[in-house]
Amino acid sequence: MSTSENLCVVLHGAEDMRVDAREQTDPCGNDVLLKMGSVGICGSDLKYWKYAKCGRFTMSSPMVIGHEGSGTVLKCGPDVKHLKPGDRVAIEPGVPCRQCYICHAGRYNLCGDMKFCATPPIDGNLSQYFTHPEDFCFKLPDNVSLDQGALMEPLAVAVYACQRGDVGLGSNVLICGAGPVGLLVLMTAKAMGADKVVMTDISENRLELAKTLGCDHVINMKDRSSSMEDCGKEIKAVCPRIDAAIECSGADISVSLGIHSTRPGGSVVLVGRGSKEPSIPLVDAATFEIDIRGVFRYANCYPKAIAMVSSGKIKPEVLISHQFILKESEKAFQCAYSPDSGAIKVMIRCNA
């Protein structure tokens, strides 16, 4: 088995990021060795960088960061059947056990033995080279770039969120939060046939971008003193029938806004992560049979995301605002974190 040096971006603790050289070995079994192309920075990456924790996960040892990745196959393990050297792939970063009841039921994203890139203690893929199982590497069509391939990860979240909200032809959708995932939900909802989309945020710049991407109505929630019930009435004034509210901001009040805005029998989909026990009008949701549905990552969404991009229905690359190389990763994270940078999606080129 041959080995070589692999430069990796490693978090050693809060705000302690280093580019370390690690040993890279040949792939075994059904793994493929990838020469990494592009890796995007996600909100969870920023939390690990800033605080060494994200939600219920806390770092206890150094960890390679990054999970929104794409790359090119360099070598294949002896059991690989469908990929070959030279194939470009999008990396689905979560690998389940494939054996439990949840996996067999098709909801492998909820597997209790999930190993997900850059979720402690599993290393991520912000590195020159990365080894990953073949069945969670999805070949990219010739007309899809490596940057687009890296964006399949947040796009898969958007696809799954729209599926959970039953978004389809003629649906009217409220999206709370115009960050990268919220904007991808907007594009996905429209590609799936949504009629009207209303979007809320506290950033006028992001709402303006949403309008250029096809959003029908935008509402700036900054410095609002009115109740979420009154804000719901404002949303109903511009779109009387909201079939699904998709919360992407992580703000507790947006969950309340979704309940107050959604039609009876509709749904509120929780993509963002707010406080553990938010105060929400649960009785109103029950009275009007508004389903509250969780989203944890995604399952079986990469092929759909790739097809949407390859067909031209979605152009996720328009969200890339800044680009850096691997050795500039700390600068890239500072850019993504700073509210003054104007960053939407920051992309790192791993082998530039």
Side-chain angles (χ1 to χ4, degrees), residues 88-90 138-146 148-149 152 302-303 305-311:
R88 299 173 313 116
V89 299
F138 293 85
K139 188 174 177 179
L140 296 174
D142 290 341
N143 67 335
V144 176
S145 70
L146 287 174
Q148 290 173 318
M152 295 304 169
Y302 263 63
I306 291 171
M308 284 180 165
V309 175
S310 180
S311 68

Side-chain angles (χ1 to χ4, degrees), residues 228-247:
M228 288 302 100
E229 187 171 5
D230 287 339
C231 290
K233 292 176 182 177
E234 183 179 346
I235 288 169
K236 289 178 180 178
V238 298
C239 187
R241 193 199 82 230
I242 295 291
D243 301 295
I246 302 179
E247 202 300 296

Side-chain angles (χ1 to χ4, degrees), residues 76-284:
C76 297
D79 299 329
V80 170
K81 296 179 175 63
H82 304 295
L83 292 175
K84 63 183 186 304
D87 286 344
R88 299 173 313 116
V89 299
I91 303 165
E92 181 168 348
V95 181
C97 75
R98 309 175 182 88
Q99 297 175 355
C100 68
Y101 171 82
I102 295 295
C103 285
H104 289 173
R107 302 186 71 175
Y108 62 83
N109 56 312
L110 304 177
C111 174
D113 195 29
M114 173 68 74
K115 293 177 173 55
F116 198 92
C117 288
T119 297
I122 307 302
D123 282 326
N125 54 30
L126 184 51
S127 53
Q128 289 180 310
Y129 304 99
F130 182 67
T131 301
H132 204 62
E134 173 193 31
D135 47 332
F136 286 89
C137 293
F138 293 85
K139 188 174 177 179
L140 296 174
D142 290 341
N143 67 335
V144 176
S145 70
L146 287 174
D147 278 354
Q148 290 173 318
L151 289 167
M152 295 304 169
E153 200 279 336
L155 182 55
V157 175
V159 170
Y160 191 53
C162 287
Q163 289 180 175
R164 294 284 285 159
D166 296 323
V167 175
L169 287 172
S171 296
N172 294 330
V173 182
L174 167 67
I175 303 170
C176 299
V181 170
L183 294 169
L184 287 169
V185 171
L186 162 63
M187 290 188 245
T188 302
K190 285 292 188 179
M192 288 182 168
D195 182 14
K196 296 291 189 294
V197 175
V198 183
M199 180 166 269
T200 65
D201 201 273
I202 59 173
S203 167
E204 195 62 34
N205 289 338
R206 292 195 172 195
L207 291 174
E208 287 299 317
L209 175 57
K211 287 197 286 189
T212 68
L213 296 175
C215 190
D216 299 281
H217 303 282
V218 298
I219 298 175
N220 194 325
M221 300 294 292
K222 189 174 183 180
D223 300 326
R224 291 295 183 107
S225 59
S226 52
S227 68
M228 288 302 100
E229 187 171 5
D230 287 339
C231 290
K233 292 176 182 177
E234 183 179 346
I235 288 169
K236 289 178 180 178
V238 298
C239 187
R241 193 199 82 230
I242 295 291
D243 301 295
I246 302 179
E247 202 300 296
C248 301
S249 71
D252 291 351
I253 59 171
S254 291
V255 181
S256 298
L257 178 63
I259 292 171
H260 287 305
S261 304
T262 302
R263 64 163 173 82
S267 61
V268 175
V269 180
L270 307 182
V271 180
R273 294 289 182 267
S275 60
K276 191 170 184 178
E277 296 184 6
S279 176
I280 61 173
L282 196 57
V283 171
D284 287 346

